[in-house]
Amino acid sequence: MSLLVVGSVALDDIEAPAGNVKSVLGGAACYCSVAASYFVRAQAVGVTGDDFPQAHLDFLASRGVDLAGVTRAPGRTFRWGGRYHSSLNQRDTLFTDLGVFERFDPVLPASYCDAPFVFLANIHPTLQRSVIDQARAPRFSAMDTMNFWIEGERAELERTLSRVTGLVINDEEAHLLTGESNLVRAADAIRALGPTTVIVKRGEHGALLFDEAGIFAAPAFPLREVQDPTGAGDSFAGGFMGALAAGGSLAVDAMRRAVIYGSVLASFCVERFSLDRFRTLTRAEIDERFEQFRRLTSF
Amino acid sequence: MSLLVVGSVALDDIEAPAGNVKSVLGGAACYCSVAASYFVRAQAVGVTGDDFPQAHLDFLASRGVDLAGVTRAPGRTFRWGGRYHSSLNQRDTLFTDLGVFERFDPVLPASYCDAPFVFLANIHPTLQRSVIDQARAPRFSAMDTMNFWIEGERAELERTLSRVTGLVINDEEAHLLTGESNLVRAADAIRALGPTTVIVKRGEHGALLFDEAGIFAAPAFPLREVQDPTGAGDSFAGGFMGALAAGGSLAVDAMRRAVIYGSVLASFCVERFSLDRFRTLTRAEIDERFEQFRRLTSF
C-alpha cells in the first residue's frame, strides 16, 4: 500500500525556548512523508531549490520515502522562519521566502498515479485539485489548507473540497472556513461542502474526528518537554494517513485507530527540533505510545 | 454517603449570544451541590442576603441539598455579572458585588462535621482551611482556587494546599500557581505542595487528572449548542466529588469514572442558563451521556 503526499519541502529557522536552529529540514511534505513512512511507502511530491542539502534527501530516502516526485529547480528552497512564545501555543512567523515553491506545479510520476491514499498538504487549492485530477482513483483523499486560502481563494477551495474525502485542519481554520464558533456545527458545515471525514486538530488539546459514525475525541499526549511544535500537524496527518493506508480499511475503528497513530506521531515530532526525533524513532516506540494512549483515555 | 460543599451562593446577571438573564441563581456552592445531588446528599455551607428568593432555596431543597449550613445575613446576596464573547471561550466580568459574602465565615453544623468527602469551592484559602479544621476526618478533600488568591494570598494558599487531598483548577490557574507553562510539570509542582490528586479543567478541551496512577485525559462533551458556560467548572467538581463519594472508592478506576461524571454534569450545565438544566435533568440522562463518553473516546 502506498500514500501519495504533496506539499512543501523547506528549510526552517526556528526560535524556541529550548534553543534556536537555522536552515533545518522542514516542510509539510517532509514531516508528513516521514511520519507515514513507519506504516507505508510514502510517495512524495515537492520541489527543492539547488541549495537543498543532499543529506536531507538521503535522510528521506533512508526512511523509504519515494523521491521520484521531488524535483530540483534552479533557485532557492522555500524557507520559513518562526519564533515560539514561552507557552509554545503561540508563534510569530519571522519570514517566508517562497523561492522555487512559488512556481511549484505538482506533476505526478506515472508510478504515483495509482496511489490509493492521497494527502494534499497545504498548497494552493487549485494545485491540490490538479493532483486529484492526476491521481486515477484514490480510495481516500484528504487535504489540509490555511487561512490564506480560506480568505483569499474561497471559490477554488470549495471546488477542491468537493473533490476530497477528508479535511484535516486546525480549529481556527475550521471556524474561519465556516463562520461557526461551535466546532460541532463547523464540522457539519464542512461536511456539507464535500468531505465525509473532518479532523480538527487542536494542538496540545488533541484532535476531533467527525464522520458518519459520530464524533471521536483523541487527546494530545501529555509531554513533560516540548522542544519544537513545528510540523506537529503534518506529522499527525502522516501518521493518520499512513496507518489508514497500511490497514486498508475505512471502517469506524480503523479511522479512530489512525487518529491515535496520528496523535502518536505528532507527539514524537515535537520532542525534538525539525524532524530530528524521526532520525531515531522506531516502530516499537510508536506502538508502545499507542498503548499509552489507551491507558491515558480508558475508564 | 454525604459530600460537604462550601462556597458562594449568588445571583448572577449573564450576557451571552443566546440571550441575557438577570438575577438568576448562581454561585459555586449551588452549582456544585446540585450537580453532586444526583449521586449523594450534598451538605451546603454558604450565606445568602435577605434578598435571596425563597424559590431558589426551595429548588435546592428539591434536589435533596441539605441547607442546614446555609445562613441568611442582613444585606444583599453576592451578585456577579458576566458577558461572554461570541466564541464563549472568553468572558468579561461586568461587576462583582460581594454583599454578605464579604463577611462569610463558614461554620459547619454539627451534622456536617463527619462528612467523609469535602469540596472547598473558591473562597479565601484561610476560610477553606477553617472548614478543614472543623471537619473531623474527611477521606477525600478537594479544593478550587483562583488567580486572586494565587497572586495575593500565596502563603495562606500553600498552607491550605498542604491540608487537602485534591486540587481542581483550570489550566491558567495551574500555570500561574506554579510558573510552569507545561501542564505535566505544573501538575508535578502542585502535587509537591500537598494534593495527591490534581485535576486541571480546560473548558471545551476537557480535563486532565494527575495522580499516582499517571495521567487520565477526559474530553469535554462536544455540544452543538452552549447557552451559558457559567458554573461548568463547579458542576464538574460536583459531579466528580458526588460520583466519588457515592462509589466510596478512591481507586484509579473510580477516580477516572468520577472525572467522566464530572464532565457529564458540566456538559449538561452549559446547555441552559444558570442551573436551569438541572431543573429537568434526570439520572438516566446522566448515565446515557456517560455511555456516550465511552463511544466518544473508545478506539
Side-chain angles (χ1 to χ4, degrees), chain A residues 154-185:
Chain A
R154 176 168 293 265
E156 283 300 296
L157 179 58
E158 291 195 7
R159 284 184 67 191
T160 305
L161 278 171
S162 72
R163 301 278 307 278
V164 296
T165 330
L167 178 66
V168 181
I169 55 176
N170 70 36
D171 41 7
E172 284 174 29
E173 291 158 354
H175 297 314
L176 188 65
L177 177 57
T178 62
E180 281 285 357
S181 62
N182 178 288
L183 266 189
V184 182
R185 290 204 304 265

Side-chain angles (χ1 to χ4, degrees), chain A residues 117 139-140 165 196-197 199 209-214 216 240 243-245 247-259, chain B residues 298-299:
Chain A
F117 289 79
R139 288 183 55 205
F140 189 89
T165 330
T196 54
T197 298
I199 295 177
L209 165 70
F210 299 87
D211 59 19
E212 309 89 81
F216 172 59
F240 167 72
L244 206 59
S249 164
L250 300 176
V252 178
D253 287 355
M255 282 282 177
R256 291 178 164 216
R257 280 197 300 272
V259 167
Chain B
S298 66
F299 63 90

Side-chain angles (χ1 to χ4, degrees), chain A residues 58-253:
Chain A
D58 292 345
F59 166 62
L60 296 172
S62 78
R63 288 292 328 148
V65 176
D66 187 341
L67 299 172
V70 176
T71 55
R72 188 179 189 93
R76 276 165 65 85
T77 299
F78 173 37
R79 287 169 187 266
W80 177 83
R83 178 190 293 140
Y84 289 91
H85 296 214
S86 63
S87 76
L88 297 175
N89 293 327
Q90 286 183 289
R91 77 175 178 202
D92 303 319
T93 290
L94 299 176
F95 61 86
T96 304
D97 293 340
L98 289 176
V100 297
F101 195 52
E102 188 164 13
R103 296 171 186 279
F104 179 47
D105 185 12
V107 176
L108 305 196
S111 59
Y112 284 25
C113 293
D114 290 315
F117 289 79
V118 174
F119 186 73
L120 311 161
N122 168 39
I123 53 175
H124 193 294
T126 310
L127 297 184
Q128 290 176 315
R129 206 163 62 249
S130 111
V131 173
I132 301 175
D133 289 336
Q134 295 173 63
R136 282 200 191 96
R139 288 183 55 205
F140 189 89
S141 56
M143 62 182 275
D144 192 359
T145 191
M146 72 182 294
N147 49 4
F148 189 71
W149 312 125
I150 295 170
E151 290 176 325
E153 293 286 354
R154 176 168 293 265
E156 283 300 296
L157 179 58
E158 291 195 7
R159 284 184 67 191
T160 305
L161 278 171
S162 72
R163 301 278 307 278
V164 296
T165 330
L167 178 66
V168 181
I169 55 176
N170 70 36
D171 41 7
E172 284 174 29
E173 291 158 354
H175 297 314
L176 188 65
L177 177 57
T178 62
E180 281 285 357
S181 62
N182 178 288
L183 266 189
V184 182
R185 290 204 304 265
D188 286 346
I190 293 168
R191 296 183 65 225
L193 294 173
T196 54
T197 298
V198 175
I199 295 177
V200 179
K201 299 174 288 183
R202 302 196 287 180
E204 64 165 335
H205 301 302
L208 290 171
L209 165 70
F210 299 87
D211 59 19
E212 309 89 81
I215 308 177
F216 172 59
F221 194 75
L223 293 166
R224 220 170 229 97
E225 198 192 340
V226 172
Q227 283 197 345
D228 176 11
T230 311
D234 297 311
S235 299
F236 174 93
F240 167 72
M241 293 295 294
L244 206 59
S249 164
L250 300 176
V252 178
D253 287 355

Side-chain angles (χ1 to χ4, degrees), chain B:
Chain B
M1 204 59 84
S2 61
L3 169 68
L4 174 60
V5 175
V6 184
S8 60
V9 177
L11 296 171
D12 292 343
D13 288 4
I14 308 289
E15 299 179 17
N20 300 336
V21 294
K22 279 195 181 295
S23 205
V24 295
L25 179 60
C30 298
Y31 281 104
C32 185
S33 295
V34 169
S37 73
Y38 290 91
F39 305 94
V40 289
R41 181 158 177 82
Q43 301 177 309
V45 180
V47 62
T48 73
D50 44 28
D51 58 346
F52 194 71
Q54 181 62 37
H56 291 336
L57 294 172
D58 292 346
F59 166 62
L60 296 172
S62 78
R63 286 293 327 148
V65 177
D66 187 340
L67 299 173
V70 177
T71 55
R72 188 180 188 92
R76 275 165 65 85
T77 300
F78 174 38
R79 286 168 188 266
W80 177 82
R83 179 189 291 139
Y84 289 91
H85 297 211
S86 62
S87 76
L88 296 176
N89 293 327
Q90 286 183 288
R91 77 176 178 201
D92 302 320
T93 290
L94 298 176
F95 61 85
T96 304
D97 293 340
L98 289 176
V100 297
F101 195 52
E102 189 165 10
R103 296 173 186 278
F104 179 49
D105 185 13
V107 176
L108 305 196
S111 59
Y112 284 24
C113 293
D114 290 316
F117 289 80
V118 174
F119 186 73
L120 311 161
N122 168 38
I123 54 175
H124 193 295
T126 309
L127 297 184
Q128 290 176 316
R129 207 163 61 249
S130 110
V131 173
I132 302 174
D133 289 335
Q134 295 172 65
R136 281 198 193 98
R139 287 183 54 206
F140 189 89
S141 57
M143 62 182 275
D144 192 359
T145 191
M146 71 182 295
N147 50 3
F148 189 70
W149 312 125
I150 294 170
E151 290 176 324
E153 293 285 353
R154 175 168 293 265
E156 282 300 295
L157 178 59
E158 291 195 6
R159 284 184 67 191
T160 305
L161 278 170
S162 72
R163 301 280 306 281
V164 297
T165 331
L167 178 65
V168 181
I169 55 176
N170 70 37
D171 42 6
E172 284 176 28
E173 292 157 354
H175 297 315
L176 189 65
L177 177 58
T178 62
E180 280 288 355
S181 62
N182 177 288
L183 266 190
V184 182
R185 291 203 303 264
D188 286 346
I190 293 168
R191 295 183 65 225
L193 294 173
T196 54
T197 298
V198 174
I199 295 176
V200 179
K201 299 173 290 184
R202 302 197 287 180
E204 65 166 334
H205 301 302
L208 290 170
L209 164 71
F210 300 86
D211 59 19
E212 309 89 81
I215 308 177
F216 173 59
F221 195 76
L223 293 166
R224 221 169 226 95
E225 197 192 340
V226 172
Q227 283 198 343
D228 176 12
T230 310
D234 298 310
S235 300
F236 174 93
F240 167 72
M241 292 294 295
L244 207 59
S249 163
L250 300 176
V252 179
D253 287 356
M255 281 283 176
R256 291 178 163 216
R257 281 196 301 271
V259 167
I260 297 295
Y261 274 116
S263 306
V264 167
L265 271 291
S267 75
F268 281 117
C269 171
V270 303
E271 288 183 350
R272 296 286 179 273
F273 281 96
S274 177
L275 283 82
D276 286 356
R277 185 64 181 87
F278 299 132
R279 295 177 191 275
T280 59
L281 182 68
T282 64
R283 178 61 195 257
E285 288 178 298
I286 290 170
D287 290 335
E288 185 186 343
R289 188 161 289 179
F290 185 95
E291 289 309 316
Q292 288 173 331
F293 263 91
R294 281 202 198 283
R295 289 197 288 281
L296 176 65
T297 57
S298 66
F299 63 90

